[in-house]
Amino acid sequence: NSNRAAIAHLQRQHYGRLYPVLLVAIDGSTTRLRYCEPKRILMLPLDSTTLPEAERKARLRRQMRGKPKAKTEEAFESIDLETYKRFWKK
């Protein structure tokens, strides 16, 4: 009751609010639960050891993209100097 809280400390460990969240399992089934952060959907991670070999390699290829391509620097020959001539007139 309320007198117990006034005399000694509360017996619960967490005082935070729990928010309703939709948990989506790997097979597509959903469950409503209470979570400490306000999110709409939580998805469980996929276990890659249960996937077939071809699908696992395809997932790895999508995750591990190649190195970013180096940008080619613009050469001064492609710039028309006549358009900027008004800036260095005396």
Side-chain angles (χ1 to χ4, degrees):
N1 64 20
S2 62
N3 294 332
R4 185 182 76 180
I7 296 170
H9 69 281
L10 294 176
Q11 299 299 320
R12 59 184 165 172
Q13 303 219 349
H14 299 285
Y15 296 94
R17 177 178 173 194
L18 297 177
Y19 300 91
V21 174
L22 185 69
L23 177 71
V24 180
I26 297 169
D27 60 353
S29 62
T30 59
T31 307
R32 292 218 172 257
L33 57 94
R34 314 255 324 141
Y35 193 66
C36 58
E37 296 178 11
K39 295 184 177 185
R40 290 187 181 203
I41 295 178
L42 280 178
M43 294 184 71
L44 292 176
L46 182 66
D47 187 14
S48 63
T49 58
T50 60
L51 294 176
E53 188 68 28
E55 192 173 341
R56 181 173 38 225
K57 286 185 179 179
R59 282 182 159 273
L60 280 173
R61 254 186 270 118
R62 273 186 267 140
Q63 289 175 357
M64 305 300 258
R65 302 268 167 127
K67 294 180 183 175
K69 296 179 181 177
K71 295 181 181 178
T72 57
E73 294 185 20
E74 187 177 321
F76 287 109
E77 291 83 32
S78 64
I79 298 175
D80 183 23
L81 294 178
E82 292 298 321
T83 57
Y84 300 103
K85 193 173 185 177
R86 60 188 164 119
F87 292 116
W88 57 75
K89 280 187 177 180
K90 289 187 177 181

